[in-house]
Amino acid sequence: MYLYEMKVTFFSSKPYDKEFFDKANKKFNFELDYFDTHLGPHVLNLIDHSDAVCAFVNDKLNAEVLEALSKKSVKYIALRCAGFNNIDLEAAKHLGIRVCRVPAYSPEAVAEHAMAMILTLNRKTHKAYNRVREQNFALNGLMGFNLYQKTIGVIGTGNIGVAFAKIAKGFGARILAFDIAENQQLKDIGIEYCSLEHLFAESDIISLHCPLIEATHHLINKDSIRKMKKNVMIINTSRGGLIDTKAVIQGLKDHHIGYLGIDVYEQEEKLFFRDLSQTIIEDDTIQRLMSFPNVLVTAHQAFFTAEALEQIANTTLESLYHFEKSNDFENPNAVLI
Ligand code: NAD
């Protein structure tokens, strides 16, 4: 048991975060303070003598927020996620705030969800489930296609892309991959790297697993859609900004895109992770997307397995402990700055 005095303030926290972090904290005995609100300039008064702030995917850590946190003597930011597109790392560096993330918590959790989306869109199990419950045993409209011998394009072959490519390979599909760095392990099992153009042109299904950075912003846009096969299936479990949503809606209306599965959405911070069932949703774009019969939206749940939550909590607290002790990190990729 480590007995180290540290206060960590959580934003966007849910009951399941508290459950897993409280359990992991038995080893550290930090003081953990949980708030369910998003982090932004409007909630900074909630922070009272905190050493660290623990944030999630839709918390905004821009220069203004980081500066205010620094004035409140916050020394560390712990992102309890893999992506780090929501933090201004330059500003954090300038302010001397150290930042960590959880680089590879159960990549299989996200990869398996991507495959679940493919199977649901293809075999329409969500529709079959509802039909049978209403004693409608007809098959009309439920026809799918074999994944066997289809071509699946994987963009980004890091931790999650590798796990996904292996699962897809298990279905007997041909796998094409694009990344700025090729992975020998995938090549050894027969996965072919190719240009983005070739991947767009050849793939029946395209699954996105690259980070959201300037180079990948709106990677799926009007021009790239035009290069894809008619009836292509696009799956995005990475970050909403990889897709130009308006272009994708047009692609669906033109019947160029045959299926779309998204676990992430460009404007998700106003929607995801809460129950809005009694609310009038003002975002017409998501409403339009959800109106298509061949679109499946899940609300950023790809990571959401017990194994992943356990690893997220352990790695996050472990990293904060090492920041404070200034000693070696078990997982150096966890440290961003
Ligand atoms: P990773 O860092 O292990 O892999 C990312 C890969 O993308 C790397 O191989 C990198 O070389 C590649 N890449 C970088 N720039 C590229 C470009 N311009 N074109 C093509 N490839 C490029 O990350 P990961 O753990 O596999 O996670 C991938 C993404 O998944 C994260 O950035 C995160 O946004 C997202 N994610 C989503 C969820 C969820 O719940 N939906 C959970 C975890 C992660």
Side-chain angles (χ1 to χ4, degrees), residues 170-314:
F171 279 80
R174 171 188 176 217
I175 314 295
L176 294 179
F178 173 77
D179 196 309
I180 48 170
E182 299 188 357
N183 179 318
Q184 190 57 42
Q185 194 200 348
L186 285 189
K187 285 165 111 174
D188 292 345
I189 58 164
I191 283 160
E192 306 162 42
Y193 277 90
C194 66
S195 69
L196 205 47
E197 307 283 306
H198 188 69
L199 186 148
F200 285 148
E202 290 279 309
S203 302
D204 300 293
I205 297 170
I206 296 173
S207 194
L208 306 177
H209 300 289
C210 56
L212 174 60
I213 49 176
E214 221 176 299
T216 59
H217 180 251
H218 285 186
L219 182 73
I220 305 300
N221 56 41
K222 202 168 94 189
D223 294 333
S224 52
I225 293 167
R226 210 179 289 133
K227 293 173 189 157
M228 294 175 196
K229 276 187 174 175
K230 275 247 171 209
N231 214 31
V232 63
M233 182 189 291
I234 301 174
I235 303 292
N236 187 9
T237 55
S238 192
R239 283 291 179 267
L242 296 179
I243 287 184
D244 176 349
T245 314
K246 294 221 157 59
V248 160
I249 288 175
Q250 194 55 51
L252 285 158
K253 284 164 83 175
D254 295 342
H255 300 266
H256 196 122
I257 298 173
Y259 315 78
L260 174 72
I262 53 168
D263 185 54
V264 286
Y265 167 61
E266 258 186 311
Q267 315 299 336
E268 70 178 48
E269 67 271 12
K270 296 199 184 104
L271 301 167
F272 287 7
F273 305 115
R274 34 190 128 139
D275 178 359
L276 299 178
S277 52
Q278 305 303 318
T279 309
I280 305 290
I281 291 182
E282 293 193 8
D283 182 339
D284 293 339
T285 310
I286 192 88
Q287 293 290 42
R288 181 68 184 103
L289 268 184
M290 291 190 302
S291 74
F292 291 100
N294 49 352
V295 171
L296 174 65
V297 181
T298 54
H300 211 134
Q301 73 172 83
F303 75 99
F304 198 53
T305 67
E307 290 82 353
L309 288 179
E310 196 177 315
Q311 281 183 42
I312 289 170
N314 284 326

Side-chain angles (χ1 to χ4, degrees), residues 4 18 28 57 78 119 306 320:
Y4 211 86
K18 186 170 175 359
F28 301 94
V57 291
L119 293 172
L320 287 172

